Amino acid sequence: MIGNWSVARFGTRFGRAGLTVLRSPAPVTYGLITLCCLLFLIGPAAGLSAEYGSGEGLLAAQRAYFHRWGVVPAELFEGAPRAALTPATALFVHGSWVHLLGNMLFLYVFGVMTEERMGRVQFTLFYLGCGYLALLGYAAVNDDSTQSLVGASGAISAVLGAFLFLFPGARVTSLLPFLLFLPLRFPAWVVLPFWVALQWVAAGRATQGPGVAYLAHLVGFGLGFGYAWVRFGRPTRVKAAPAPAPEGENQP
């Protein structure tokens, strides 16, 4: 899960002066949200399907489901082909309603404009690739853990990192617990580094093994920001051809 405070609205300007972009078609973002929600609803974590039972039976079904589709660091580096796929499948599995809704809110808010800037194909590969590497990095640090890791947090953190680089001046409305959840608007260059700082502090205190994968958040954010910087931070230089001399200025 991304965090305990959320983002509701944003806006930014880019391109020629006066062009405001608030929302645009983003089929990949909406598709990812829809897929994650559907998989959650039919899985045991939602608690809606009678086939998984209730009580201890439901908990056992959830553990088995997470173990099958989530990342188990201790198994990931054993060389099994199935385990090597789990950093990809885990991106579409969520452990609770709060986990799902928190992640999907962040993906909706920050994914739309990022997808528009990158393009559909590039955004899809970016999301899946960074998400895979974020979970892989987390598993490498916790390679002796047998606890399943699920969720799209690593991939969505990469989207946040890319968004910060691409739209640093975007105004983000945030609900901060220590300010009594008053809706306040800040530019992305204030909100997102603050979020990263919270993840850093939380990761440093996470000494009891896997829980919330704060390290995956940090790895994903760094990958996303770095990718955007490399891909979009170096404008193409075009050499201008010499302008023809005005009529009457050509020397005989």
Side-chain angles (χ1 to χ4, degrees):
M1 181 179 173
I2 288 294
N4 296 323
W5 52 283
S6 61
V7 185
R9 293 164 47 192
F10 63 88
T12 188
R13 296 176 181 270
F14 68 93
R16 63 180 183 273
L19 177 61
T20 302
V21 178
L22 295 177
R23 285 288 186 270
S24 63
V28 175
T29 299
Y30 298 141
L32 289 170
I33 293 173
T34 301
L35 180 58
C36 287
C37 290
L38 287 177
L39 291 176
F40 179 80
L41 292 175
I42 65 177
L48 300 177
S49 178
E51 68 175 294
Y52 296 112
S54 59
E56 291 298 325
L58 177 60
L59 293 177
Q62 291 174 350
R63 287 192 293 268
Y65 185 78
F66 297 150
H67 186 273
R68 178 179 182 182
W69 301 110
V71 177
V72 181
E75 300 177 0
L76 181 59
F77 301 104
E78 293 179 352
R82 188 200 67 82
L85 294 176
T86 55
T89 59
L91 297 176
F92 302 94
V93 180
H94 290 83
S96 67
W97 285 95
V98 174
H99 189 197
L100 173 75
L101 296 177
N103 276 352
M104 295 305 101
L105 173 63
F106 272 74
L107 179 56
Y108 170 71
V109 171
F110 294 101
V112 173
M113 289 176 63
T114 305
E115 178 184 345
E116 182 189 30
R117 181 68 178 86
M118 290 186 176
R120 299 175 185 177
V121 175
Q122 184 177 180
F123 180 77
T124 301
L125 297 176
F126 163 81
Y127 181 90
L128 296 176
C130 289
Y132 187 101
L133 292 175
L135 294 181
L136 187 65
Y138 178 88
V141 175
N142 299 275
D143 59 352
D144 60 343
S145 172
T146 58
Q147 185 169 345
S148 302
L149 176 65
V150 297
S153 299
I156 297 172
S157 297
V159 174
L160 267 63
F163 187 95
L164 175 61
F165 182 86
L166 296 172
F167 310 106
R171 305 293 294 184
V172 180
T173 300
S174 303
L175 305 178
L176 304 178
F178 58 83
L179 293 179
L180 304 178
F181 294 97
L182 294 176
L184 301 175
R185 300 195 71 191
F186 301 99
W189 64 266
V190 172
V191 174
L192 294 180
F194 177 70
W195 175 84
V196 171
L198 291 179
Q199 305 307 299
W200 183 272
V201 172
R205 295 179 177 177
T207 58
Q208 302 301 318
V212 177
Y214 297 108
L215 179 59
H217 299 176
L218 294 171
V219 173
F221 189 91
L223 288 171
F225 188 90
Y227 176 85
W229 178 76
V230 171
R231 177 64 179 83
F232 300 99
R234 299 175 181 176
T236 303
R237 296 180 180 179
V238 179
K239 294 183 179 181
E247 185 178 355
E249 291 187 7
N250 289 321
Q251 299 296 324

